[in-house]
Amino acid sequence: TNACTNALTPRPWDLADLSNAIGCDAVTVWGQKTVTDVKRAVFKGISTDSRTISPDMVFLALAGEHFDGHNFIPDLAEKGIIVFVVRQGYLNTFDLNQKRLMDKPRVCFFEVPDTLAALGRLARYHRMRSNARVAALTGSNGKTSTRKMAEEIFSLHHDTLATQGNLNNEIGLPQTLLRLADIHEWAVVEMGMSNPGEIARLSAIAKPDIALITNTHGSHMQGLGSLDNVARAKAEIFKGLNPGGTAILFADDPRLEILVQGARENPTTGSVMLFGTQSKSDVRLSEINTTDHRITFSLTIDGHARQYALPSPAAFMAFNAAAAAALAKAAGIDETDIAQGLEAFVPVKGRMRLRHLDNGIHLIDDTYNANPCSMNQALQVLNRLAGSNRGIAVLGDMLELGDQTQLHHRQVGHLVAALSPAKLLLFGTQVAQIREGALEKGYPDAHIVMGSKQELAQTLKKSIKQENWVLIKGSRGMTMETLIPVLEEIP
Ligand code: ATP
Ligand code: MG
């Protein structure tokens, strides 16, 4: 290409790159100019966002729940975008008489059966032409926390690209990999899933050199049925492992056998590593202590034990730290760097983040998401920090639990009754089952308030004088974080 390459920005694309990656040629060219003109052009990258795209980028049209990217194409062509990736048949439905397009020079299209798959192919091509090695992780819980910890460790001495926020699905992962630039030595990427087959597709795109499964708890059961199936679906991550790559598993996982089998099913898997509290672990976790507002633990790596402390009240963070350390060990990063990286870790917003507000309120902000396992842990943490029979639990629905929904909410109710926080505030529809469960086990109805967020806000304001520890938690769709300002605004 005639583009000057810059180590800091992703390598540009020319038409040949695009054809090679997508697996077909650009099919149609409009206007007076010929395909040769386009052939000379180079593009800065691939965009799926019609709002932020610039003329030096390729537009790939995704059809989502709310928007269909194809609808924006005429406008984008007018704005100067010249290459589009569209679904098969789009050009037939396109109004060829659109005058404004006919006048445009150089507009060309790649027509593909599935534009989401094409995004994956582009990302895979880009990943394969980059110098970076890829460390990928999936799991039911702890993906984002582990990724953040690993990012801290890897970035100490390597230019590292990492997943931002929660961009870990079939759109987010390709977008992440497409940001790879020549400077990057490592990419640390998360993979999320809700259905079988997804992780296999993501892994085929990322071709990880190291692949880790944090754990296989019962999240996202809706599309999967049993926990064994959850484990099998996560183990798909090893299908895409680069030859000789390292598979890393949680030694304490009840479904370890399935995971090991998944790792071994790929004949080119290099080594299998373990992290956890079991003595066979390559990164062994011990002495987990959570009596303080922070957590301390010990990690033994290559026979050498070291003490760690993390600014989180949650025991599970120690497991995530062990996972991140295992990723780093597999990458050849030494133990002092692992320690330094973990020290720099700050829990992700909304993820068991402890905040001591100026007005004396202690907030356990776990509003980012919820499932039965994390709900249990969060309630235990509230109990431990606030004291028994103290504290306010503000809970929203746990979504995506399929036919287990009622059961899991009821069980949360049972735990609430056992731990007996001073108040239980509930928002949503499924939470009615939490209430039922709590009442069933003798938790007083007078301590429960179920209602709108406004009603909960009123109750919070009233109750905060007696109780200054508050846990807020619910599934992403419940946006429980909108209750945080209520606490912040209390004088
Ligand atoms: P999501 O799929 O919702 O994005 P995630 O896998 O990225 O989640 P995190 O954001 O790290 O996970 O943590 C989410 C919640 O899961 C935490 O707040 C905590 O309640 C729970 N959790 C995190 N790590 C673990 C773990 N190792 N074991 C059990 N539960 C965990
Ligand atoms: Mg996440």
Side-chain angles (χ1 to χ4, degrees):
T1 77
N2 57 3
C4 59
T5 40
N6 177 341
L8 300 173
T9 55
R11 206 180 295 180
W13 300 77
D14 61 21
L15 215 57
D17 292 323
L18 295 168
S19 297
N20 287 336
I22 298 172
C24 68
D25 287 328
V27 286
T28 308
V29 178
W30 265 299
Q32 306 88 337
K33 296 206 178 168
T34 65
V35 75
T36 356
D37 297 305
V38 184
K39 270 190 180 147
R40 271 190 239 114
V42 286
F43 306 92
K44 206 171 72 183
I46 320 295
S47 170
T48 58
D49 188 341
S50 61
R51 294 160 302 181
T52 56
I53 189 169
S54 56
D56 49 359
M57 297 185 94
V58 173
F59 182 71
L60 185 140
L62 291 175
E65 238 173 83
H66 306 292
F67 295 101
D68 184 348
H70 294 87
N71 296 337
F72 304 108
I73 290 172
D75 284 345
L76 291 173
E78 199 150 38
K79 283 191 193 130
I81 312 295
I82 55 178
V83 176
F84 297 89
V85 182
V86 298
R87 69 165 167 265
Q88 210 96 58
Y90 172 76
L91 292 177
N92 288 338
T93 65
F94 203 75
D95 182 3
L96 293 185
N97 293 322
Q98 291 210 36
K99 257 265 179 342
R100 52 187 188 157
L101 262 192
M102 294 297 283
D103 297 339
K104 287 285 154 201
R106 309 180 302 173
V107 183
C108 78
F109 292 86
F110 287 91
E111 267 197 314
V112 297
D114 177 353
T115 53
L116 183 61
L119 182 65
R121 296 184 73 135
L122 287 159
R124 180 188 153 109
Y125 180 88
H126 190 67
R127 180 263 178 273
M128 294 315 280
R129 71 180 179 168
S130 90
N131 310 313
R133 283 186 289 165
V134 174
L137 62 119
T138 186
S140 299
N141 295 115
K143 295 180 290 295
T144 301
S145 304
T146 304
R147 185 264 299 159
K148 273 205 80 180
M149 291 178 189
E151 188 180 345
E152 295 287 358
I153 302 170
F154 279 66
S155 318
L156 277 176
H157 296 298
H158 303 284
D159 279 295
T160 304
L161 173 82
T163 301
Q164 287 179 335
N166 224 16
L167 292 175
N168 63 14
N169 64 9
E170 287 187 81
I171 299 174
L173 177 88
Q175 283 174 339
T176 302
L177 292 172
L178 285 167
R179 293 195 291 120
L180 273 171
D182 285 349
I183 192 177
H184 291 125
E185 295 166 69
W186 277 100
V188 179
V189 297
E190 282 176 49
M191 296 180 180
M193 61 165 284
S194 32
N195 289 299
E198 260 175 85
I199 295 291
R201 287 196 290 277
L202 295 177
S203 185
I205 293 167
K207 294 301 289 172
D209 299 282
I210 305 171
L212 175 142
I213 299 173
T214 55
N215 51 54
T216 63
H217 296 300
S219 68
H220 302 296
M221 293 286 284
Q222 210 153 37
L224 290 157
S226 75
L227 283 172
D228 283 3
N229 286 343
V230 171
R232 281 185 199 103
K234 310 279 183 219
E236 290 172 11
I237 196 171
F238 304 123
K239 289 190 178 173
L241 204 57
N242 248 345
T246 307
I248 308 178
L249 309 171
F250 179 33
D252 306 24
D253 200 298
R255 285 156 292 276
L256 182 61
E257 279 312 304
I258 295 176
L259 302 178
V260 171
Q261 201 184 328
R264 287 288 167 217
E265 244 162 40
N266 179 346
T268 65
T269 297
S271 48
V272 176
M273 260 177 68
L274 298 175
F275 71 94
T277 64
Q278 308 292 307
S279 56
K280 59 189 171 185
S281 309
D282 301 273
V283 173
R284 190 162 60 81
L285 175 62
S286 58
E287 297 166 53
I288 305 172
N289 201 322
T290 50
T291 48
D292 205 346
H293 292 178
R294 35 171 230 164
I295 171 173
T296 59
F297 53 94
S298 165
L299 290 182
T300 307
I301 303 173
D302 294 327
H304 181 255
R306 184 191 283 263
Q307 289 298 317
Y308 290 83
L310 288 179
S312 167
F316 64 75
M317 285 295 182
F319 289 85
N320 298 337
L327 281 172
K329 178 172 157 56
I333 295 172
D334 68 36
E335 204 213 331
T336 47
D337 291 340
I338 292 175
Q340 199 185 330
L342 285 178
E343 257 162 46
F345 171 75
V346 180
V348 191
K349 189 170 152 198
R351 288 312 206 188
M352 285 307 284
R353 184 139 96 173
L354 200 54
R355 286 181 58 199
H356 306 284
L357 306 183
D358 290 339
N359 52 18
I361 298 170
H362 306 288
L363 166 66
I364 304 168
D365 172 14
D366 205 17
T367 53
Y368 183 75
N369 221 338
N371 60 40
C373 170
S374 65
M375 203 54 127
N376 278 357
Q377 292 172 335
L379 284 165
Q380 313 258 17
V381 168
L382 174 68
N383 179 264
R384 184 157 52 74
L385 296 180
S388 44
N389 308 315
R390 307 293 314 253
I392 304 174
V394 187
L395 310 181
D397 287 350
M398 300 181 288
L399 306 173
E400 290 182 63
L401 295 174
D403 54 16
Q404 310 260 354
T405 300
Q406 297 218 341
L407 173 74
H408 283 306
H409 284 85
R410 205 166 267 258
Q411 284 174 348
V412 167
H414 296 169
L415 182 68
V416 167
L419 300 172
S420 191
K423 275 227 158 341
L424 173 64
L425 276 50
L426 300 171
F427 170 70
T429 36
Q430 304 304 337
V431 289
Q433 291 296 321
I434 297 184
R435 179 169 175 272
E436 288 301 312
L439 295 176
E440 230 167 61
K441 299 280 174 181
Y443 187 74
D445 201 9
H447 292 184
I448 306 178
V449 177
M450 196 164 81
S452 67
K453 285 193 181 152
Q454 287 83 345
E455 286 165 314
L456 298 193
Q458 289 311 317
T459 312
L460 270 173
K461 282 181 201 156
K462 273 186 277 158
S463 328
I464 212 75
K465 286 182 204 80
Q466 293 84 38
E467 297 297 330
N468 61 356
W469 278 95
V470 184
L471 162 72
I472 310 186
K473 184 168 177 68
S475 268
R476 187 81 299 271
M478 307 306 292
T479 57
M480 298 300 285
E481 66 276 9
T482 56
L483 282 166
I484 295 177
V486 175
L487 295 177
E488 289 169 336
E489 280 154 23
I490 288 172

